[in-house]
Amino acid sequence: MTQSVTVTRNGGVAIVTLDNPPVNAMSFHVREPLQKALLKLRDDDSVEALVLTCAGRTFVAGADITEFGKPVQRPHLPDLIETLETFEKPTVAAIHGTALGGGLELAMGCHFRVADRGAKFGLPEVKLGLLPGAGGTQRLPRLVGPSKALKMIVSGNPISAAEAHKDGLVDAVFDSDLLANAIDFAHDLAARGTILAPVSVRDEKLAAARADLAGFDAEIAEALKKSRGLDAPATCARSVRNALTMGFGEALATERNYFFELVLGDQSRAQRHLFFAEREAAKVPGVGKGDRPRKIARVGVIGAGTMGGGISMSFVNGGIPVTLLEMTDEALQRGLGVIAKNYAISVSRGSLTEEAKTKRLAMFTGTTDYADLADCDLIIEAVFEEMAVKKEVFGKLDAVAKPGAILASNTSYLDVNEIAAFTARPSDVLGMHFFSPANVMKLLEIVRGEKTAPDVLATAIAVAKTIGKVPVVVGVCHGFVGNRMLGARGAEAEDLLLEGATPAQVDKVFTDFGWPMGTYQMWDLAGLDIGWRTRKSLGKTAAIGDALCEQGRFGQKTGKGFYLYPDGRTPVTDPEVEALIEAKAREKGVNRRTISTDEIMERTMYPMINEGARILEEGIAARSSDIDTVWANGYGFPVGQGGPMFWAELVGLPKIVERLEYWHGRTGKEVYNPSTLLRQLAENGAGFSSTAKGKAA
Ligand code: T1G
């Protein structure tokens, strides 16, 4: 047997162990020897039962995603599952870690499934723009019922072993000695001559939904509410529904056809790109396996405002206690009160138990005394965005923090090198830029200072993963990666309105593309007064934005900005704003005209791509897929479009350069001046990923 598949015996029970580090993906070099082993064992009369298990940290985590888009070599995963279903002796999957995608589908080809208490089960294919393509949409409904299967497959979220056991996906759960218990379980099945029924013939759980297709269709409509612009969720739902209206064989073949339609599509390619891009981002040039992360047992957070509170919750939610410091006890208590309220809301929504809330609140220590930070391994400041304030805070931190403590700034655009220079330990200083709400948003921009030590970066990446964030290491510049490109995307927002567009028209182009909202709605949400204050400090003006602020129209928080918010949240167009825009255009002698969707895309998305190319040129981002990871996890870039740089390659870099040159010629604005890198790639017919130091698939 190859090392990927080994067969051992325990009396009449054959144990088949798969070993394909790191996650036992069902690569071809596993599938081929496994099929051979199964066929041999099936026909071996000395074998009374079979246990299928995995070496390493997890059961099979799915098909091998790197094989998608390439010719698939037989045996296919469905072939293996079909072989398992022809066994006339008990087959038992012994599951630890995560049985995901094709891994769970393989396990459902067995008669029984037993699991370790900590195991998880899921069909996350939808997150890759796919659907379970090896029988998952047909076998899962037969084990847990169509309603639960629909929710699991359309969301792609895993469930625990306890839930899987309750729902009938798993037949037994063990607190320890999984394999020994699985072997006993198999011996017992054989000894009792258990009547065997492959999952594919068990229809009892489908009956109720078959009798009420209209009811199930209502469940499908509910499940698809959030899947704006993506094809896979609806395809998943349709395939699960086929279990109710087709025979097993026909529905299985139909599922396979759906799979091949999706796997060859741009959306799945985009989502698979982001899957690997996110993992690639954690591989930082100059940070090697020898740079061991420092232990982070306690975190200090300076500032209990919106950001400081959210950051603190992120660490506590990840199991790391926090010392939260504010200038006054009143501000501290206010911050702790907001945190307690946030947890109470989670309890009321059922996403957190009362017990967990109490446990988490006990992990906060409040103080107004810097000396109380002396035992913190990492201290993050989330104070006012002014360098003078940062200087004062880092000076104090340098005095009280223990040797080896890491000092991080949550600044969203200030110079981290300048901040590091406020201390005597610049190699222990970096930026950790969270996105609001910090306890929800996944992205964490880790800002690498000139002197930041490699093990400090390794620590920030490791602790980011511990608290469920997606880390991307970025260089020092104004706005780093995300906000710098956001500025470019919005640079023409005022002139588009003056020249003839309306806020609603522009924002609709954005939401039709798949953004959660458009520029003007986003500015209303953030507060127009923020930009107004910044422009005044820089001596800049924005005709429309300034006029709105002078009228006290700061956006959602004042009930009106570019839009009206009669219910406090939903934007409604305001004729007064359109009149204001027309008046400003007249003042400036701008002749308004019809603005097309293409023009709006070219004057927002293309400057953003151009800025991304400049960021690559300057080494602020190590690879184009890091930029895609920033945008997918920090700004709601539609995952079906793969991120700005991936999408740009779909559009075609030569076309983008040609249109940038047109607008540069027409407006003379630097934001349209094609970067050298973009021009070079377009001329050479190359893509951004050719520039990367580390490549995503
Ligand atoms: N195929 C190939 N490589 C994979 C992989 C997979 N399925 N899963 C992980 N890797 C690589 C990953 O790129 C990284 O590589 C390393 O393993 C460790 O991963 C037919 C069609 C299992 C929860 O979607 O969710 O089955 O960076 O850093 O944080 O119906 O990996 O080390 O070079 O994520 O401990 C369905 C995807 C596939 C599960 C572990 N399955 N994987 O998380 O490690 S489609 C999935 C995960 C399918 C069938 C369909 C996670 C994990 P490198 P990691 P982790």
Side-chain angles (χ1 to χ4, degrees), residues 22-23 25-27 57-58 61-66 68 77 98 100-103 105 123-125 127-128 130-136 256 259 275-276 279-280 283 465:
V23 297
M26 284 306 286
S27 313
R57 61 186 167 118
T58 179
D64 183 339
I65 308 173
T66 63
F68 293 158
L77 184 53
T98 52
L100 297 175
E105 290 173 303
L123 293 176
E125 289 87 341
K127 296 180 178 178
L128 298 171
L130 300 170
L131 88 164
R256 199 82 184 137
F259 176 80
F275 173 86
F276 288 113
R279 286 150 182 80
E280 207 64 35
K283 297 169 189 163
K465 287 184 174 179

mmCIF file of all heavy atoms in Angstrom, residues 22-23 25-27 57-58 61-66 68 77 98 100-103 105 123-125 127-128 130-136 256 259 275-276 279-280 283 465, ligand 1:
data_model
loop_
_atom_site.group_PDB
_atom_site.id
_atom_site.type_symbol
_atom_site.label_atom_id
_atom_site.label_comp_id
_atom_site.label_asym_id
_atom_site.label_seq_id
_atom_site.Cartn_x
_atom_site.Cartn_y
_atom_site.Cartn_z
ATOM 1 N N PRO A 22 -1.703 18.240 4.794
ATOM 2 C CA PRO A 22 -2.018 18.508 6.199
ATOM 3 C C PRO A 22 -3.477 18.241 6.579
ATOM 4 O O PRO A 22 -3.806 18.181 7.734
ATOM 5 C CB PRO A 22 -1.720 20.003 6.323
ATOM 6 C CG PRO A 22 -2.029 20.535 4.955
ATOM 7 C CD PRO A 22 -1.678 19.441 3.979
ATOM 8 N N VAL A 23 -4.387 18.079 5.578
ATOM 9 C CA VAL A 23 -5.813 17.962 5.944
ATOM 10 C C VAL A 23 -6.467 16.741 5.300
ATOM 11 O O VAL A 23 -7.682 16.654 5.211
ATOM 12 C CB VAL A 23 -6.590 19.247 5.611
ATOM 13 C CG1 VAL A 23 -6.065 20.434 6.424
ATOM 14 C CG2 VAL A 23 -6.532 19.547 4.123
ATOM 15 N N ALA A 25 -6.806 15.820 2.253
ATOM 16 C CA ALA A 25 -7.629 16.096 1.067
ATOM 17 C C ALA A 25 -7.634 14.859 0.178
ATOM 18 O O ALA A 25 -6.663 14.097 0.129
ATOM 19 C CB ALA A 25 -7.065 17.297 0.326
ATOM 20 N N MET A 26 -8.747 14.673 -0.546
ATOM 21 C CA MET A 26 -8.910 13.457 -1.352
ATOM 22 C C MET A 26 -8.232 13.607 -2.709
ATOM 23 O O MET A 26 -8.854 13.533 -3.757
ATOM 24 C CB MET A 26 -10.400 13.157 -1.522
ATOM 25 C CG MET A 26 -11.038 12.577 -0.291
ATOM 26 S SD MET A 26 -10.167 11.109 0.308
ATOM 27 C CE MET A 26 -10.681 9.943 -0.935
ATOM 28 N N SER A 27 -6.921 13.803 -2.650
ATOM 29 C CA SER A 27 -6.132 13.948 -3.890
ATOM 30 C C SER A 27 -6.120 12.631 -4.660
ATOM 31 O O SER A 27 -6.407 11.576 -4.101
ATOM 32 C CB SER A 27 -4.700 14.360 -3.535
ATOM 33 O OG SER A 27 -4.724 15.422 -2.601
ATOM 34 N N ARG A 57 -4.233 15.447 11.954
ATOM 35 C CA ARG A 57 -5.082 16.254 12.818
ATOM 36 C C ARG A 57 -6.548 16.256 12.442
ATOM 37 O O ARG A 57 -7.383 16.839 13.145
ATOM 38 C CB ARG A 57 -4.559 17.688 12.865
ATOM 39 C CG ARG A 57 -4.535 18.395 11.514
ATOM 40 C CD ARG A 57 -3.863 19.761 11.682
ATOM 41 N NE ARG A 57 -3.531 20.374 10.420
ATOM 42 C CZ ARG A 57 -4.039 21.545 10.005
ATOM 43 N NH1 ARG A 57 -4.905 22.167 10.733
ATOM 44 N NH2 ARG A 57 -3.654 22.092 8.859
ATOM 45 N N THR A 58 -6.868 15.640 11.299
ATOM 46 C CA THR A 58 -8.291 15.723 10.936
ATOM 47 C C THR A 58 -8.686 14.607 9.975
ATOM 48 O O THR A 58 -7.860 14.101 9.223
ATOM 49 C CB THR A 58 -8.612 17.074 10.273
ATOM 50 O OG1 THR A 58 -10.008 17.103 9.918
ATOM 51 C CG2 THR A 58 -7.786 17.299 9.010
ATOM 52 N N ALA A 61 -10.782 16.619 4.819
ATOM 53 C CA ALA A 61 -11.346 17.982 4.819
ATOM 54 C C ALA A 61 -11.884 18.360 3.452
ATOM 55 O O ALA A 61 -12.171 19.520 3.190
ATOM 56 C CB ALA A 61 -10.295 18.979 5.255
ATOM 57 N N GLY A 62 -11.979 17.364 2.562
ATOM 58 C CA GLY A 62 -12.619 17.692 1.291
ATOM 59 C C GLY A 62 -11.855 17.145 0.100
ATOM 60 O O GLY A 62 -10.787 16.560 0.248
ATOM 61 N N ALA A 63 -12.436 17.400 -1.069
ATOM 62 C CA ALA A 63 -11.699 17.096 -2.299
ATOM 63 C C ALA A 63 -10.473 18.001 -2.315
ATOM 64 O O ALA A 63 -10.394 18.976 -1.563
ATOM 65 C CB ALA A 63 -12.585 17.383 -3.503
ATOM 66 N N ASP A 64 -9.531 17.694 -3.187
ATOM 67 C CA ASP A 64 -8.323 18.523 -3.287
ATOM 68 C C ASP A 64 -8.649 19.708 -4.201
ATOM 69 O O ASP A 64 -8.739 19.574 -5.421
ATOM 70 C CB ASP A 64 -7.186 17.684 -3.874
ATOM 71 C CG ASP A 64 -5.884 18.444 -3.945
ATOM 72 O OD1 ASP A 64 -5.939 19.699 -3.919
ATOM 73 O OD2 ASP A 64 -4.821 17.817 -4.021
ATOM 74 N N ILE A 65 -8.782 20.867 -3.581
ATOM 75 C CA ILE A 65 -9.222 22.061 -4.331
ATOM 76 C C ILE A 65 -8.219 22.426 -5.418
ATOM 77 O O ILE A 65 -8.551 22.983 -6.450
ATOM 78 C CB ILE A 65 -9.433 23.253 -3.381
ATOM 79 C CG1 ILE A 65 -10.337 22.880 -2.207
ATOM 80 C CG2 ILE A 65 -10.055 24.438 -4.121
ATOM 81 C CD1 ILE A 65 -10.449 23.953 -1.139
ATOM 82 N N THR A 66 -6.957 22.066 -5.204
ATOM 83 C CA THR A 66 -5.952 22.440 -6.223
ATOM 84 C C THR A 66 -6.146 21.633 -7.511
ATOM 85 O O THR A 66 -5.609 21.985 -8.547
ATOM 86 C CB THR A 66 -4.518 22.192 -5.708
ATOM 87 O OG1 THR A 66 -4.362 20.776 -5.470
ATOM 88 C CG2 THR A 66 -4.236 22.954 -4.436
ATOM 89 N N PHE A 68 -9.055 21.271 -8.972
ATOM 90 C CA PHE A 68 -10.207 21.770 -9.745
ATOM 91 C C PHE A 68 -9.735 22.564 -10.965
ATOM 92 O O PHE A 68 -8.723 23.250 -10.927
ATOM 93 C CB PHE A 68 -11.088 22.671 -8.884
ATOM 94 C CG PHE A 68 -11.775 21.937 -7.776
ATOM 95 C CD1 PHE A 68 -12.226 22.603 -6.675
ATOM 96 C CD2 PHE A 68 -11.958 20.554 -7.823
ATOM 97 C CE1 PHE A 68 -12.860 21.930 -5.641
ATOM 98 C CE2 PHE A 68 -12.562 19.871 -6.793
ATOM 99 C CZ PHE A 68 -13.021 20.564 -5.707
ATOM 100 N N LEU A 77 -14.229 10.785 -6.730
ATOM 101 C CA LEU A 77 -14.738 10.592 -5.374
ATOM 102 C C LEU A 77 -16.072 9.835 -5.381
ATOM 103 O O LEU A 77 -16.268 8.892 -4.599
ATOM 104 C CB LEU A 77 -14.855 11.948 -4.670
ATOM 105 C CG LEU A 77 -15.271 11.948 -3.214
ATOM 106 C CD1 LEU A 77 -14.394 11.026 -2.375
ATOM 107 C CD2 LEU A 77 -15.208 13.367 -2.657
ATOM 108 N N THR A 98 -12.130 17.754 11.328
ATOM 109 C CA THR A 98 -13.254 18.284 10.527
ATOM 110 C C THR A 98 -13.510 17.344 9.356
ATOM 111 O O THR A 98 -12.631 17.115 8.525
ATOM 112 C CB THR A 98 -12.877 19.663 9.966
ATOM 113 O OG1 THR A 98 -11.620 19.532 9.298
ATOM 114 C CG2 THR A 98 -12.765 20.723 11.037
ATOM 115 N N LEU A 100 -15.267 17.595 6.172
ATOM 116 C CA LEU A 100 -15.839 18.694 5.374
ATOM 117 C C LEU A 100 -15.943 18.308 3.908
ATOM 118 O O LEU A 100 -15.102 17.569 3.392
ATOM 119 C CB LEU A 100 -14.966 19.945 5.503
ATOM 120 C CG LEU A 100 -14.862 20.554 6.904
ATOM 121 C CD1 LEU A 100 -13.860 21.701 6.889
ATOM 122 C CD2 LEU A 100 -16.200 21.016 7.422
ATOM 123 N N GLY A 101 -16.934 18.828 3.233
ATOM 124 C CA GLY A 101 -17.058 18.630 1.792
ATOM 125 C C GLY A 101 -16.995 17.167 1.418
ATOM 126 O O GLY A 101 -17.715 16.335 1.983
ATOM 127 N N GLY A 102 -16.081 16.869 0.486
ATOM 128 C CA GLY A 102 -15.943 15.487 0.040
ATOM 129 C C GLY A 102 -15.620 14.540 1.174
ATOM 130 O O GLY A 102 -15.906 13.341 1.081
ATOM 131 N N GLY A 103 -15.042 15.037 2.259
ATOM 132 C CA GLY A 103 -14.740 14.187 3.418
ATOM 133 C C GLY A 103 -16.015 13.710 4.079
ATOM 134 O O GLY A 103 -16.188 12.513 4.380
ATOM 135 N N GLU A 105 -18.901 13.669 2.584
ATOM 136 C CA GLU A 105 -19.587 12.857 1.568
ATOM 137 C C GLU A 105 -19.047 11.428 1.577
ATOM 138 O O GLU A 105 -19.801 10.463 1.466
ATOM 139 C CB GLU A 105 -19.438 13.495 0.187
ATOM 140 C CG GLU A 105 -20.232 14.796 0.063
ATOM 141 C CD GLU A 105 -19.948 15.515 -1.229
ATOM 142 O OE1 GLU A 105 -18.770 15.831 -1.498
ATOM 143 O OE2 GLU A 105 -20.897 15.774 -1.975
ATOM 144 N N LEU A 123 -20.569 20.931 4.891
ATOM 145 C CA LEU A 123 -20.446 20.899 3.423
ATOM 146 C C LEU A 123 -20.228 22.339 2.971
ATOM 147 O O LEU A 123 -21.174 23.027 2.611
ATOM 148 C CB LEU A 123 -21.698 20.276 2.805
ATOM 149 C CG LEU A 123 -21.896 18.784 3.102
ATOM 150 C CD1 LEU A 123 -23.228 18.289 2.509
ATOM 151 C CD2 LEU A 123 -20.748 17.957 2.524
ATOM 152 N N PRO A 124 -18.972 22.849 3.040
ATOM 153 C CA PRO A 124 -18.688 24.266 2.792
ATOM 154 C C PRO A 124 -18.477 24.606 1.318
ATOM 155 O O PRO A 124 -18.006 25.694 1.010
ATOM 156 C CB PRO A 124 -17.391 24.482 3.566
ATOM 157 C CG PRO A 124 -16.701 23.164 3.529
ATOM 158 C CD PRO A 124 -17.777 22.129 3.494
ATOM 159 N N GLU A 125 -18.811 23.708 0.421
ATOM 160 C CA GLU A 125 -18.554 23.951 -0.992
ATOM 161 C C GLU A 125 -19.120 25.284 -1.480
ATOM 162 O O GLU A 125 -18.538 25.929 -2.336
ATOM 163 C CB GLU A 125 -19.135 22.817 -1.846
ATOM 164 C CG GLU A 125 -18.385 21.500 -1.726
ATOM 165 C CD GLU A 125 -18.864 20.633 -0.573
ATOM 166 O OE1 GLU A 125 -19.516 21.160 0.354
ATOM 167 O OE2 GLU A 125 -18.577 19.421 -0.590
ATOM 168 N N LYS A 127 -18.993 28.016 -0.224
ATOM 169 C CA LYS A 127 -18.049 29.122 0.010
ATOM 170 C C LYS A 127 -16.956 29.165 -1.058
ATOM 171 O O LYS A 127 -16.187 30.107 -1.135
ATOM 172 C CB LYS A 127 -17.434 28.993 1.405
ATOM 173 C CG LYS A 127 -18.472 29.141 2.511
ATOM 174 C CD LYS A 127 -17.870 29.027 3.903
ATOM 175 C CE LYS A 127 -18.951 29.222 4.965
ATOM 176 N NZ LYS A 127 -18.444 29.077 6.348
ATOM 177 N N LEU A 128 -16.912 28.114 -1.854
ATOM 178 C CA LEU A 128 -15.969 28.062 -2.977
ATOM 179 C C LEU A 128 -16.705 28.258 -4.294
ATOM 180 O O LEU A 128 -16.190 27.987 -5.359
ATOM 181 C CB LEU A 128 -15.242 26.716 -2.980
ATOM 182 C CG LEU A 128 -14.378 26.422 -1.752
ATOM 183 C CD1 LEU A 128 -13.887 24.983 -1.773
ATOM 184 C CD2 LEU A 128 -13.188 27.373 -1.648
ATOM 185 N N LEU A 130 -19.279 26.520 -5.204
ATOM 186 C CA LEU A 130 -19.635 25.183 -5.690
ATOM 187 C C LEU A 130 -20.841 24.623 -4.945
ATOM 188 O O LEU A 130 -21.414 25.310 -4.103
ATOM 189 C CB LEU A 130 -18.435 24.245 -5.471
ATOM 190 C CG LEU A 130 -17.147 24.631 -6.180
ATOM 191 C CD1 LEU A 130 -15.987 23.775 -5.681
ATOM 192 C CD2 LEU A 130 -17.301 24.515 -7.684
ATOM 193 N N LEU A 131 -21.173 23.381 -5.241
ATOM 194 C CA LEU A 131 -22.137 22.650 -4.402
ATOM 195 C C LEU A 131 -21.477 21.303 -4.115
ATOM 196 O O LEU A 131 -20.518 20.923 -4.799
ATOM 197 C CB LEU A 131 -23.467 22.451 -5.116
ATOM 198 C CG LEU A 131 -23.658 21.207 -6.009
ATOM 199 C CD1 LEU A 131 -25.137 20.996 -6.302
ATOM 200 C CD2 LEU A 131 -22.896 21.322 -7.295
ATOM 201 N N PRO A 132 -21.917 20.590 -3.061
ATOM 202 C CA PRO A 132 -21.363 19.265 -2.818
ATOM 203 C C PRO A 132 -21.553 18.436 -4.096
ATOM 204 O O PRO A 132 -22.681 18.292 -4.571
ATOM 205 C CB PRO A 132 -22.213 18.744 -1.654
ATOM 206 C CG PRO A 132 -22.699 19.971 -0.964
ATOM 207 C CD PRO A 132 -22.914 20.972 -2.060
ATOM 208 N N GLY A 133 -20.463 17.912 -4.645
ATOM 209 C CA GLY A 133 -20.562 17.261 -5.960
ATOM 210 C C GLY A 133 -20.376 15.758 -5.904
ATOM 211 O O GLY A 133 -20.222 15.113 -6.928
ATOM 212 N N ALA A 134 -20.380 15.189 -4.674
ATOM 213 C CA ALA A 134 -20.214 13.725 -4.556
ATOM 214 C C ALA A 134 -21.326 13.152 -3.694
ATOM 215 O O ALA A 134 -21.102 12.379 -2.766
ATOM 216 C CB ALA A 134 -18.842 13.419 -3.959
ATOM 217 N N GLY A 135 -22.524 13.617 -3.980
ATOM 218 C CA GLY A 135 -23.702 13.033 -3.337
ATOM 219 C C GLY A 135 -24.171 13.738 -2.086
ATOM 220 O O GLY A 135 -25.190 13.377 -1.496
ATOM 221 N N GLY A 136 -23.459 14.805 -1.675
ATOM 222 C CA GLY A 136 -23.831 15.463 -0.419
ATOM 223 C C GLY A 136 -25.244 16.019 -0.413
ATOM 224 O O GLY A 136 -25.947 15.945 0.595
ATOM 225 N N ARG A 256 -24.139 16.193 -10.185
ATOM 226 C CA ARG A 256 -22.812 16.170 -10.833
ATOM 227 C C ARG A 256 -22.768 17.185 -11.976
ATOM 228 O O ARG A 256 -21.788 17.898 -12.149
ATOM 229 C CB ARG A 256 -22.549 14.745 -11.347
ATOM 230 C CG ARG A 256 -21.090 14.451 -11.611
ATOM 231 C CD ARG A 256 -20.344 14.082 -10.337
ATOM 232 N NE ARG A 256 -18.919 13.881 -10.582
ATOM 233 C CZ ARG A 256 -17.946 14.336 -9.784
ATOM 234 N NH1 ARG A 256 -18.252 15.036 -8.706
ATOM 235 N NH2 ARG A 256 -16.693 14.113 -10.064
ATOM 236 N N PHE A 259 -22.426 20.556 -10.592
ATOM 237 C CA PHE A 259 -21.058 20.776 -10.085
ATOM 238 C C PHE A 259 -20.145 21.237 -11.219
ATOM 239 O O PHE A 259 -19.424 22.225 -11.105
ATOM 240 C CB PHE A 259 -20.516 19.507 -9.444
ATOM 241 C CG PHE A 259 -19.089 19.639 -9.001
ATOM 242 C CD1 PHE A 259 -18.783 20.269 -7.813
ATOM 243 C CD2 PHE A 259 -18.044 19.174 -9.800
ATOM 244 C CE1 PHE A 259 -17.458 20.433 -7.410
ATOM 245 C CE2 PHE A 259 -16.729 19.332 -9.410
ATOM 246 C CZ PHE A 259 -16.428 19.956 -8.210
ATOM 247 N N PHE A 275 -9.838 31.781 -1.380
ATOM 248 C CA PHE A 275 -9.536 30.765 -0.358
ATOM 249 C C PHE A 275 -8.019 30.638 -0.205
ATOM 250 O O PHE A 275 -7.478 30.716 0.895
ATOM 251 C CB PHE A 275 -10.137 29.410 -0.755
ATOM 252 C CG PHE A 275 -9.727 28.272 0.148
ATOM 253 C CD1 PHE A 275 -10.434 28.015 1.314
ATOM 254 C CD2 PHE A 275 -8.616 27.491 -0.137
ATOM 255 C CE1 PHE A 275 -10.046 26.992 2.173
ATOM 256 C CE2 PHE A 275 -8.218 26.469 0.713
ATOM 257 C CZ PHE A 275 -8.938 26.218 1.869
ATOM 258 N N PHE A 276 -7.336 30.492 -1.317
ATOM 259 C CA PHE A 276 -5.869 30.321 -1.256
ATOM 260 C C PHE A 276 -5.179 31.653 -0.961
ATOM 261 O O PHE A 276 -4.174 31.703 -0.252
ATOM 262 C CB PHE A 276 -5.346 29.701 -2.554
ATOM 263 C CG PHE A 276 -5.709 28.253 -2.705
ATOM 264 C CD1 PHE A 276 -6.578 27.827 -3.697
ATOM 265 C CD2 PHE A 276 -5.230 27.306 -1.808
ATOM 266 C CE1 PHE A 276 -6.918 26.484 -3.821
ATOM 267 C CE2 PHE A 276 -5.566 25.955 -1.923
ATOM 268 C CZ PHE A 276 -6.419 25.553 -2.931
ATOM 269 N N ARG A 279 -4.784 32.328 2.697
ATOM 270 C CA ARG A 279 -3.743 31.509 3.337
ATOM 271 C C ARG A 279 -2.345 31.936 2.917
ATOM 272 O O ARG A 279 -1.411 31.913 3.679
ATOM 273 C CB ARG A 279 -4.021 30.029 3.038
ATOM 274 C CG ARG A 279 -5.182 29.508 3.851
ATOM 275 C CD ARG A 279 -5.969 28.402 3.210
ATOM 276 N NE ARG A 279 -7.077 28.026 4.089
ATOM 277 C CZ ARG A 279 -8.228 28.714 4.157
ATOM 278 N NH1 ARG A 279 -8.420 29.776 3.398
ATOM 279 N NH2 ARG A 279 -9.191 28.349 4.999
ATOM 280 N N GLU A 280 -2.273 32.390 1.660
ATOM 281 C CA GLU A 280 -0.985 32.893 1.146
ATOM 282 C C GLU A 280 -0.582 34.146 1.916
ATOM 283 O O GLU A 280 0.587 34.374 2.210
ATOM 284 C CB GLU A 280 -1.172 33.248 -0.338
ATOM 285 C CG GLU A 280 0.069 33.165 -1.147
ATOM 286 C CD GLU A 280 0.620 31.739 -1.228
ATOM 287 O OE1 GLU A 280 -0.169 30.784 -1.271
ATOM 288 O OE2 GLU A 280 1.860 31.615 -1.208
ATOM 289 N N LYS A 283 1.858 34.105 4.692
ATOM 290 C CA LYS A 283 3.263 33.763 4.393
ATOM 291 C C LYS A 283 3.976 35.047 4.005
ATOM 292 O O LYS A 283 3.794 35.562 2.904
ATOM 293 C CB LYS A 283 3.328 32.736 3.258
ATOM 294 C CG LYS A 283 2.670 31.433 3.660
ATOM 295 C CD LYS A 283 2.487 30.492 2.503
ATOM 296 C CE LYS A 283 1.618 29.309 2.930
ATOM 297 N NZ LYS A 283 1.075 28.565 1.795
ATOM 298 N N LYS A 465 -4.930 34.943 13.868
ATOM 299 C CA LYS A 465 -5.647 33.696 13.572
ATOM 300 C C LYS A 465 -6.353 33.181 14.818
ATOM 301 O O LYS A 465 -7.495 32.729 14.759
ATOM 302 C CB LYS A 465 -4.677 32.647 13.047
ATOM 303 C CG LYS A 465 -4.182 32.908 11.627
ATOM 304 C CD LYS A 465 -3.305 31.763 11.172
ATOM 305 C CE LYS A 465 -2.880 31.877 9.719
ATOM 306 N NZ LYS A 465 -1.991 30.756 9.310
HETATM 307 N N1 T1G B 1 -7.719 21.035 -0.810
HETATM 308 C C1 T1G B 1 -6.430 21.400 -0.952
HETATM 309 N N2 T1G B 1 -5.714 22.050 -0.004
HETATM 310 C C2 T1G B 1 -6.362 22.357 1.137
HETATM 311 C C3 T1G B 1 -7.719 22.027 1.360
HETATM 312 C C4 T1G B 1 -8.393 21.328 0.322
HETATM 313 N N3 T1G B 1 -9.666 20.943 0.453
HETATM 314 N N4 T1G B 1 -8.056 22.482 2.597
HETATM 315 C C5 T1G B 1 -6.971 23.064 3.116
HETATM 316 N N5 T1G B 1 -5.951 22.993 2.251
HETATM 317 C C6 T1G B 1 -4.580 23.485 2.463
HETATM 318 C C7 T1G B 1 -4.547 24.991 2.704
HETATM 319 O O1 T1G B 1 -4.500 25.673 1.453
HETATM 320 C C8 T1G B 1 -3.264 25.128 3.504
HETATM 321 O O2 T1G B 1 -2.182 24.990 2.563
HETATM 322 C C9 T1G B 1 -3.244 23.867 4.361
HETATM 323 O O3 T1G B 1 -4.103 22.912 3.688
HETATM 324 C C10 T1G B 1 -3.779 24.096 5.757
HETATM 325 O O4 T1G B 1 -5.071 24.703 5.586
HETATM 326 C C11 T1G B 1 -16.429 17.002 -4.088
HETATM 327 C C12 T1G B 1 -16.111 19.673 -4.367
HETATM 328 C C13 T1G B 1 -9.778 22.062 6.926
HETATM 329 C C14 T1G B 1 -10.776 23.868 8.357
HETATM 330 O O5 T1G B 1 -13.757 23.718 1.563
HETATM 331 O O6 T1G B 1 -11.709 24.874 5.611
HETATM 332 O O7 T1G B 1 -14.816 18.726 -1.253
HETATM 333 O O8 T1G B 1 -1.063 27.193 3.030
HETATM 334 O O9 T1G B 1 -4.426 26.874 6.683
HETATM 335 O O10 T1G B 1 -6.682 26.766 9.444
HETATM 336 O O11 T1G B 1 -18.208 17.889 -2.883
HETATM 337 O O12 T1G B 1 -8.289 24.196 5.608
HETATM 338 O O13 T1G B 1 -0.292 25.129 4.196
HETATM 339 O O14 T1G B 1 0.100 25.418 1.717
HETATM 340 O O15 T1G B 1 -6.864 26.313 6.174
HETATM 341 O O16 T1G B 1 -6.240 24.365 10.238
HETATM 342 C C15 T1G B 1 -14.449 21.291 0.465
HETATM 343 C C16 T1G B 1 -11.317 23.772 3.057
HETATM 344 C C17 T1G B 1 -13.561 21.215 -0.719
HETATM 345 C C18 T1G B 1 -12.463 22.795 3.335
HETATM 346 C C19 T1G B 1 -8.306 23.522 8.268
HETATM 347 N N6 T1G B 1 -13.645 21.470 1.669
HETATM 348 N N7 T1G B 1 -10.343 23.772 4.128
HETATM 349 O O17 T1G B 1 -8.053 24.860 8.605
HETATM 350 O O18 T1G B 1 -5.600 25.044 7.975
HETATM 351 S S1 T1G B 1 -14.480 21.062 -2.222
HETATM 352 C C20 T1G B 1 -13.343 22.709 2.109
HETATM 353 C C21 T1G B 1 -10.632 24.389 5.316
HETATM 354 C C22 T1G B 1 -15.184 19.523 -2.076
HETATM 355 C C23 T1G B 1 -16.798 17.837 -2.895
HETATM 356 C C24 T1G B 1 -16.338 19.240 -2.978
HETATM 357 C C25 T1G B 1 -9.486 24.442 6.294
HETATM 358 C C26 T1G B 1 -9.604 23.453 7.465
HETATM 359 P P1 T1G B 1 -0.761 25.725 2.899
HETATM 360 P P2 T1G B 1 -5.508 25.847 6.591
HETATM 361 P P3 T1G B 1 -6.617 25.289 9.161
#
